[in-house]
Amino acid sequence: IITIANQGDRDRAFTASNEFENAIPGNIRSAQFRMYLEFLDENMEGTESWLDSVAARNRGTVFDEIQVLDDHDNLMMAQGRLAEGREYHKKMASLQRNREDWEVLSQTSNRTRRIDSLSMVFDLEWERALLTGDRTKLQAAYTILESEIEAAGGIEEDNEGPRAWFAMVFASTGDMEKASFWREEHRAYHAKSGEENTPWGRMVDAYVDTKNGGDPDEGIRLIQKATEDMGCASSGCWSRLMGEIEESRGNVGAAIDYYEHGVDGYRFFKLRQDEGVIALDNFKLGALNEQLGNTDEAIRRYTYMAERWKNADNDLQPQVAEAHRRIETLLDRKAQEQN
């Protein structure tokens, strides 16, 4: 089902999903697969219904319970319902803190339950900062997390992940001072360890370097290669980074191509990758198409964003109102041109 969906064959994917459900009624995975397909079909009610079915079919596995809560959070974020998503995230963080394998983890790492919990809060605030543009809570979460990491003796010497993660978080939210610091920490880690950089790490490095004035063509080439090595380039993963680079240097047509590849890609785990940015990037596509005079496409993109976020939190409603304003302006312009 995953392979068929990622090939873009919607009808075959749904047929296979129905066959799976009929063959093993009540199986948690069949409900989970159908949930992801419903999201690809833009059916929010169907997605939520099947997600409830996933929760009902869980037999007490903590990892499945965490995943259900995470998917609930993802679904709320996709619709701009951040406050509701936050409640699911809190429950997920509580379960994560009480995982039974923590005793094993503590023997091999200086991670603490508190660091793990604070990392989840930091990630939560990053996702929301991308949508609201407000970095206040993100910065507060980082300050607390950084203090806890220092108290635990710093990031483990053999742990690459946090360095690249911090660099990506701050670069994507416009704090290039911190992004540059963690980019250098990431470089120093690989220089010292001699380990080959991961595709994810190479992508982050290229993104930060480009935003710091590096060659945009080289940055895009490296990001594209990294996503290919991650195996997700064809479905549009991280293409919004390349869209951002092209947009920043005024290449509107190329930016549109990259943003479209990200929001329109038919990929199985799109729900997990959405996190609200699909609505946001549709607004970007509306604005970019408006610049090019593609009025109908601009209206379509603004409309998609306004519809997706129609029940969004108050913090996001100004963006929805702006989408409606632009739609009305473009409709008036069309009417005048036709008269």
Side-chain angles (χ1 to χ4, degrees), residues 57 74 83 89 102 107 142 148 165 183 253 256 295 313 339:
R57 297 179 188 200
N74 291 332
H89 196 279
W102 264 107
Q107 294 171 1
Y142 173 70
E148 188 69 20
W165 180 42
R183 163 67 175 100
I256 287 174
T295 303
D313 288 6
N339 291 335

Side-chain angles (χ1 to χ4, degrees), residues 2-36:
I2 296 173
T3 300
I4 295 170
N6 286 338
Q7 290 172 346
D9 195 333
R10 182 261 182 206
D11 292 342
R12 281 186 61 216
F14 269 89
T15 298
S17 173
N18 289 334
E19 291 173 350
F20 187 8
E21 175 67 13
N22 292 334
I24 315 177
N27 183 274
I28 188 172
R29 294 291 169 252
S30 66
Q32 190 177 54
F33 285 7
R34 183 55 175 266
M35 171 194 70
Y36 290 132

Side-chain angles (χ1 to χ4, degrees), residues 268-319:
F268 187 74
F269 293 111
K270 198 169 188 177
L271 172 60
R272 295 185 187 177
Q273 299 164 349
D274 184 322
E275 297 176 344
V277 299
I278 288 180
L280 204 62
D281 286 351
N282 267 278
F283 185 94
K284 285 178 178 286
L285 283 165
L288 293 170
N289 276 285
E290 188 175 355
Q291 285 184 46
L292 294 182
N294 301 330
T295 303
D296 289 340
E297 180 64 7
I299 291 172
R300 186 176 79 85
R301 293 295 182 173
Y302 287 139
T303 301
Y304 180 98
M305 181 270 193
E307 177 63 22
R308 176 63 77 90
W309 277 6
K310 63 184 178 183
N311 297 317
D313 288 6
N314 290 338
D315 287 349
L316 301 179
Q317 284 303 324
Q319 297 180 63

